[in-house]
Amino acid sequence: MLSNCLNFQFDVQGKPVNGFCMQIQDDFHETYAVIVDGYHSFCVWLDASATWRTSRHTSVEPTILAQILNKLSTSKQLA
């Protein structure tokens, strides 16, 4: 589990991406609010099969989403 907040900063195709993930209360899944500069916020969660899911209207590019999920997964493993 993350301490409470995970800041991230990386480049995708030369474009800087900044934001953070914050764990939110959910009785059924491990859920995070994701805030990315220049995009609408969205949620990601781990379902019962340990697969990452995203909210319906997630509008970030797939490469950005993959980087965020990778950072969340890595942080979970280090905790």
Side-chain angles (χ1 to χ4, degrees):
M1 180 173 95
L2 299 175
S3 60
N4 198 14
C5 187
L6 171 69
N7 293 310
F8 57 81
Q9 181 176 8
F10 52 85
D11 289 336
V12 172
Q13 299 175 350
K15 177 183 175 184
V17 177
N18 300 299
F20 65 94
C21 301
M22 182 173 59
Q23 189 166 14
I24 57 177
Q25 179 62 39
D26 183 336
D27 292 334
F28 304 103
H29 300 99
E30 186 174 337
T31 304
Y32 300 91
V34 181
I35 292 78
V36 182
D37 290 347
Y39 294 90
H40 290 286
S41 60
F42 58 95
C43 290
V44 297
W45 63 92
L46 280 171
D47 68 9
S49 67
T51 301
W52 285 106
R53 304 292 181 183
T54 62
S55 42
R56 177 179 290 176
H57 300 291
T58 302
S59 64
V60 297
E61 291 86 352
T63 52
I64 293 174
L65 182 59
Q67 285 273 0
I68 293 168
L69 295 178
N70 183 45
K71 293 200 179 288
L72 277 171
S73 296
T74 300
S75 293
K76 286 173 46 63
Q77 291 172 357
L78 295 175

